[in-house]
Amino acid sequence: MKVLLVGGGGRENAIGEALVRSGAELYVVSKHRNPGLTRLAKRYGLARETDVPRVLEFAEKWGIDLAFIGPEAPLERGIVDALEEKGIPAVGPTREAAQLETNKAFARAFMERHEIPGRKLFRVFEDVSEMRSWIDDFGRPVVVKPLGLTGGKGVKVVGYQLGDNEEAKAYAEELIGKDGKVLIEERTDGVEFTFQVFTDGKRVTPMPLAQDYPHAYEDDKGPITGGMGSYSCANGLLPFVTREDYEKALETLKATVEAMRKEGTPYKGILYGQFMLSKDGPVLIEYNARFGDPEAMNVLPLLRTSLLEIAEGIVDGNLRKAEFENKATVVKYLAPRGYPTNPVKGVKVEVDEEAVVKSGARLYYASIDENFTLLGSRAIAVVGIAESLDEAESIAQNAIGHVRGELFYRRDVGTWRSVEKRIRIMREFGKEFEPNSC
């Protein structure tokens, strides 16, 4: 089967590898030539992922049977709608269904309308004075968000310890001036985790949980990035997530898919819930309409079931179970020095791929071209897979020594010390639980 993969990041490198492993003949369109995908693909087209007419041109020229959409931006442009109009089924939600990610106000109103569990108090403002008055009257910490896509950035979480309400109001006013509207939510304290599922619009098939490290620097310091790494555990849970909380989060995602179906906008593809585990249970921070990056690299290497069969089940409305190996994973991303605020670009890096493979790690390429030149975002991911988290982290860490260049990474990603910190935070917030092994 000829499968078109749209996108050229680390997430897409992992998707492409899983598709080829399933027997797909791979075709790729992305804005740069990813070294990993170049080796996997029969044909490679260069175009912006959001240039829907150009992507369609490649799809028709190559006689594509099925498309798989990696990033969120082309979903917002209606790429799935356009492909399906040409008779090419696609893994990914339609433009309308993708609003769960692309329009945060839509997502919050949708959750409220259908009483989806795990929802938060929110308000959307267009008027600056009304917004300022509401924040003052609310009297509790808030989260200020742009309504549209932010690439994992652009959200400000503020409290009132040091007059942060003024910071919140200033940022919200800035967003109203820029976008015309702003979303303000109550703040939920706890620890975040990622829950990804496959869905055909009716059935929901869960993947192992993962946890991302969004801050640029060790000990969760520095600016928010697209994610500097992530880990998953062999039991599919996380040390601070109980089976009961897992089931509650899964119910949120199942209720979401069912409500979308009832509204006449069935959601098909990958649905990714970013949850905050509070002392009272999981609260949905936001939906994402695709695999996480880096979290795709935690789950896809463990996938025993053919990703091609899963993709066909999604588009045919006949999704079955997906089986995963019971192993722990650790993803460590190497990014250009200065990322995310002022990254180095145009500089070459060296990768001893043979040594990385010998060390037992997987290697995925992202914002780097076929000449191994840095393009300005997260560049290379190494993935350790083992029976335990400690072993997986050690494999990933050792592999990093075979990559050289103007790069940096977080040594603490996937370390038991960093996991214990998250367990401690949950206990400080009043959550009573016995940690799971990992």
Side-chain angles (χ1 to χ4, degrees):
M1 180 177 278
K2 293 183 176 182
V3 180
L4 173 66
L5 176 61
V6 178
R11 163 183 49 215
E12 288 76 33
N13 195 169
I15 294 169
E17 180 189 76
L19 286 169
V20 169
R21 195 167 70 236
S22 302
E25 186 172 277
L26 189 67
Y27 296 76
V28 179
V29 174
S30 71
K31 61 180 178 291
H32 73 278
R33 201 179 290 276
N34 178 304
L37 286 172
T38 299
R39 295 166 199 168
L40 294 169
K42 182 167 183 180
R43 295 280 185 275
Y44 206 120
L46 290 176
R48 295 191 316 277
E49 292 92 341
T50 51
D51 188 345
V52 175
R54 190 86 173 106
V55 175
L56 284 178
E57 185 184 315
F58 282 119
E60 291 186 296
K61 175 183 174 183
W62 294 332
I64 294 300
D65 299 309
L66 173 77
F68 203 120
I69 314 305
E72 61 274 25
L75 296 172
E76 185 179 38
R77 295 288 181 92
I79 193 167
V80 170
D81 311 63
L83 284 161
E84 289 181 346
E85 282 172 16
K86 296 289 186 182
I88 302 170
V91 177
T94 61
R95 177 187 286 174
E96 194 171 0
Q99 286 185 100
L100 284 178
E101 174 170 10
T102 62
N103 185 334
K104 293 182 178 65
F106 168 89
R108 286 299 177 201
F110 164 85
M111 292 188 77
E112 195 69 26
R113 191 161 62 248
H114 292 279
E115 299 183 349
I116 305 289
R119 62 191 182 279
K120 295 172 61 159
L121 180 68
F122 77 99
R123 285 287 300 273
V124 177
F125 292 99
E126 299 179 47
D127 182 87
V128 171
S129 59
E130 187 183 348
M131 170 272 295
R132 286 180 166 273
S133 297
W134 187 87
I135 288 179
D136 287 335
D137 292 341
F138 187 60
R140 299 200 302 277
V142 296
V143 181
V144 180
K145 295 181 176 181
L147 264 58
L149 297 176
T150 63
K153 312 168 194 72
V155 174
K156 284 203 176 178
V157 181
V158 293
Y160 287 163
Q161 295 91 333
L162 299 170
D164 292 347
N165 57 331
E166 291 306 316
E167 180 190 350
K169 287 185 282 190
Y171 182 51
E173 184 172 345
E174 177 189 328
L175 290 175
I176 290 173
K178 178 183 162 196
D179 303 328
K181 293 181 182 180
V182 67
L183 176 68
I184 297 179
E185 302 173 348
E186 63 177 317
R187 192 175 91 183
T188 303
D189 291 320
V191 175
E192 288 190 47
F193 67 94
T194 297
F195 200 154
Q196 303 172 107
V197 298
F198 298 110
T199 178
D200 62 4
K202 300 186 296 292
R203 300 169 191 82
V204 170
T205 299
M207 306 183 217
L209 301 185
Q211 187 176 40
D212 180 28
Y213 289 67
H215 290 272
Y217 311 132
E218 287 171 25
D219 202 25
D220 306 314
K221 292 182 169 60
I224 297 291
T225 71
M228 293 299 295
S230 50
Y231 72 94
S232 68
C233 298
N235 60 7
L237 299 173
L238 292 169
F240 54 88
V241 178
T242 64
R243 175 58 63 178
E244 181 185 2
D245 287 326
Y246 171 93
E247 294 297 340
K248 285 180 180 178
L250 180 56
E251 181 52 38
T252 292
L253 298 175
K254 285 181 174 178
T256 298
V257 170
E258 178 60 17
M260 290 293 282
R261 187 183 66 80
K262 284 180 177 176
E263 286 208 346
T265 54
Y267 186 101
K268 293 176 143 189
I270 291 91
L271 181 61
Y272 154 8
Q274 190 68 39
F275 287 93
M276 181 74 78
L277 185 59
S278 73
K279 64 181 176 62
D280 300 317
V283 175
L284 189 96
I285 300 301
E286 63 182 14
Y287 295 108
N288 288 306
R290 34 68 193 183
F291 275 115
D293 187 346
E295 296 97 330
M297 293 178 271
N298 294 104
V299 297
L300 286 173
L302 300 181
L303 185 61
R304 283 189 181 135
T305 310
S306 158
L307 182 59
L308 185 55
E309 283 182 18
I310 291 170
E312 289 181 279
I314 288 170
V315 299
D316 293 341
N318 191 29
L319 179 65
R320 292 183 172 83
K321 288 186 177 180
E323 293 187 3
F324 295 84
E325 291 184 60
N326 297 320
K327 290 188 176 180
T329 66
V330 172
V331 181
K332 299 202 182 200
Y333 243 134
L334 293 107
R337 294 194 191 281
Y339 173 79
T341 52
N342 188 30
V344 170
K345 296 180 186 177
V347 177
K348 286 193 175 186
V349 298
E350 295 178 24
V351 183
D352 188 339
E353 294 181 345
E354 189 177 340
V356 170
V357 172
K358 279 184 179 176
S359 73
R362 302 276 186 107
L363 189 67
Y364 296 112
Y365 292 105
S367 184
I368 187 169
D369 69 14
E370 69 270 33
N371 298 313
F372 289 79
T373 301
L374 298 176
L375 301 176
S377 192
R378 298 168 300 167
I380 301 168
V382 293
V383 184
I385 302 170
E387 301 297 324
S388 71
L389 184 68
D390 283 340
E391 291 175 87
E393 190 277 329
S394 179
I395 290 168
Q397 184 60 46
N398 290 338
I400 282 176
H402 303 298
V403 182
R404 289 171 291 281
E406 291 195 47
L407 300 160
F408 80 99
Y409 68 99
R410 282 185 58 167
R411 290 184 68 93
D412 63 342
V413 170
T415 62
W416 189 247
R417 182 182 173 192
S418 75
V419 174
E420 286 180 326
K421 175 185 175 182
R422 284 145 178 79
I423 294 171
R424 188 169 65 250
I425 289 170
M426 285 309 308
R427 286 181 166 153
E428 287 170 357
F429 283 130
K431 182 78 170 175
E432 295 182 7
F433 64 101
E434 192 62 39
N436 298 305
S437 61
C438 194

